[in-house]
Amino acid sequence: MAVRPLGAVPLEPPRRLLTVTVDGAETRVPEGATILDACRANAVDTPTLCYADNLTPVNACRVCVVEVEGSRTLVPACSRTAEDGMVVSTDTDRVRHSRTLVMEFLASSVEMDLTNADVHRWMAEYEVHPERFGAQMPELPADERDRRDPGHHHEPLDPTVAEGVAQPVKIDNELYVRDYSRCILCYKCVEACGVDAQNTFAIAVAGRGFDARISTEYAVPLDESACVYCGNCIGVCPTGALMFRSEHEMREDGSWDEQQQTVTNTICPYCGVGCELELHVQDNEIVKVTSPWDHSVTNGHLCIKGRFGFAYVQSRREDDPTRRRAGARDRRGSSESASD
């Protein structure tokens, strides 16, 4: 049998290397890299909240700002392109003051306890004290913030209390919940719903200012919007504002325990695309599904079946005749023990 010659493998054209000085140490990054890339190449720890490796930077949180020689203002490291000869400082008083304020403003109005360990470490390192802005405001009635006119400043009800966004969790479907008392408006969910992943454009940030919020088009209920329940918004949320309903319910009853969970990688069986799944398992039950952000097929994003279709595994286990027989034996054993 004749062997078909392989075609040429497409390669990106070589990129020029740039020399960037970060905190006095030179590093080389390819043309098109960002300052954040240069910081990482130099092992300089840089806090980020709205940045994700699989999303387009939107400069929403400004917690990654750095000083660049010759620049009047601080610049966001996540999106500012590195230039040859650029001199960057990441640990000046001005940078530390700005990063501390950003994290304090966010933590004074938003619940940050479910952010990852890096965020907690940065808050400790930058000595973040949100309590200095006053006690936290009590939880608002359901949908009260949704009725506000975003972009119009309102007077605080009590100037001694830090204005907050605490509100009841929105539970309106079987797949995920929306807890906007944890939302920092990082835009990650909007990006994942848009051109970076799903291209559904079901949600956006409505308005500006403190009353700005994530909303569907014309603020219609989620099930009347363009949402296809892919859950890619959950996959990128950094604060737990968007969460699997299974995780939410387990946290509510106190049974959620990540220390007891294992993660098993597998390939989604629903179609032939080959999406890699990470099955998070606790007590022999799948509790949520994610995908590696650097996977060549998914880039961390999944469809509704890949992310939420895991319930069938539990259903199939219950329908398994061998398990039913084992269950019957267990029940008979318990009954006999009780009669003894």
Side-chain angles (χ1 to χ4, degrees):
M1 186 176 68
V3 178
R4 272 178 65 182
L6 293 174
V9 178
L11 296 175
E12 291 185 0
R15 290 190 287 172
R16 184 168 65 104
L17 288 178
L18 310 175
T19 300
V20 179
T21 302
V22 179
D23 295 338
E26 285 191 355
T27 188
R28 304 192 79 189
V29 293
E31 194 169 29
T34 63
I35 293 176
L36 181 61
D37 294 326
C39 290
R40 289 176 170 178
N42 243 13
V44 174
D45 186 30
T46 307
T48 57
L49 285 169
C50 71
Y51 176 82
D53 289 299
N54 57 352
L55 298 175
T56 304
V58 292
N59 312 324
C61 74
R62 315 291 289 190
V63 77
C64 67
V65 291
V66 297
E67 279 196 79
V68 173
E69 193 172 276
S71 176
R72 179 177 59 85
T73 61
L74 298 174
V75 301
C78 68
S79 63
R80 177 67 181 271
T81 305
E83 300 170 17
D84 196 34
M86 183 177 270
V87 178
V88 177
S89 299
T90 73
D91 197 30
T92 64
D93 289 343
R94 192 181 178 200
V95 168
R96 293 188 66 85
H97 180 68
S98 178
R99 291 177 176 178
T100 302
L101 273 181
V102 166
M103 287 188 273
E104 285 186 336
F105 284 155
L106 290 175
S108 68
S109 59
V110 176
E111 185 57 70
M112 303 277 283
D113 61 333
L114 295 186
T115 52
N116 64 34
D118 285 337
V119 176
H120 288 281
R121 176 170 53 78
W122 292 324
M123 292 177 70
E125 178 185 335
Y126 285 88
E127 300 178 347
V128 171
H129 294 293
E131 66 279 2
R132 70 190 182 94
F133 293 101
Q136 288 204 335
M137 197 173 72
E139 182 176 280
L140 295 167
D143 301 327
E144 196 277 345
R145 275 187 60 82
D146 293 343
R147 290 191 290 270
R148 291 183 179 179
D149 192 3
H152 292 263
H153 179 70
H154 65 271
E155 293 295 325
L157 299 175
D158 182 353
T160 65
V161 173
E163 184 85 3
V165 297
Q167 56 192 287
V169 180
K170 294 179 185 294
I171 305 175
D172 51 16
N173 65 81
E174 294 297 319
L175 305 181
Y176 66 92
V177 303
R178 296 172 289 160
D179 183 358
Y180 289 133
S181 63
R182 303 180 186 280
C183 179
I184 59 171
L185 288 180
C186 66
Y187 283 69
K188 282 183 173 177
C189 58
V190 176
E191 296 288 291
C193 190
V195 295
D196 279 354
Q198 192 60 32
N199 284 285
T200 298
F201 305 99
I203 54 175
V205 175
R208 298 176 64 86
F210 191 78
D211 286 333
R213 55 186 175 269
I214 300 296
S215 175
T216 58
E217 190 174 20
Y218 297 112
V220 299
L222 196 62
D223 60 353
E224 296 176 18
S225 73
C227 178
V228 296
Y229 296 91
C230 62
N232 288 323
C233 51
I234 303 175
V236 296
C237 180
T239 61
L242 301 169
M243 182 184 292
F244 282 81
R245 184 159 176 175
S246 52
E247 178 179 348
H248 170 74
E249 291 176 347
M250 292 177 71
R251 287 187 183 277
E252 287 292 295
D253 66 24
S255 60
W256 182 261
D257 187 354
E258 293 185 2
Q259 299 297 320
Q260 299 298 321
Q261 293 176 12
T262 58
V263 179
T264 300
N265 290 57
T266 185
I267 300 299
C268 181
Y270 277 111
C271 73
V273 172
C275 296
E276 182 172 346
L277 306 182
E278 296 170 321
L279 309 180
H280 299 249
V281 178
Q282 180 179 331
D283 297 330
N284 210 28
E285 298 281 346
I286 301 172
V287 292
K288 71 175 183 180
V289 175
T290 56
S291 184
W293 71 265
D294 57 349
H295 187 251
S296 59
V297 174
T298 68
N299 288 321
H301 308 301
L302 294 168
C303 71
I304 181 174
K305 290 181 286 188
R307 191 174 300 277
F308 295 113
F310 60 85
Y312 90 95
V313 178
Q314 267 84 249
S315 301
R316 192 173 61 176
R317 288 172 63 246
E318 292 167 1
D319 292 339
D320 185 343
T322 60
R323 294 183 63 84
R324 284 205 300 272
R325 286 194 293 273
R329 283 197 300 272
D330 292 343
R331 286 192 292 276
R332 279 200 303 274
S334 300
S335 176
E336 290 167 359
S337 299
S339 63
D340 291 342

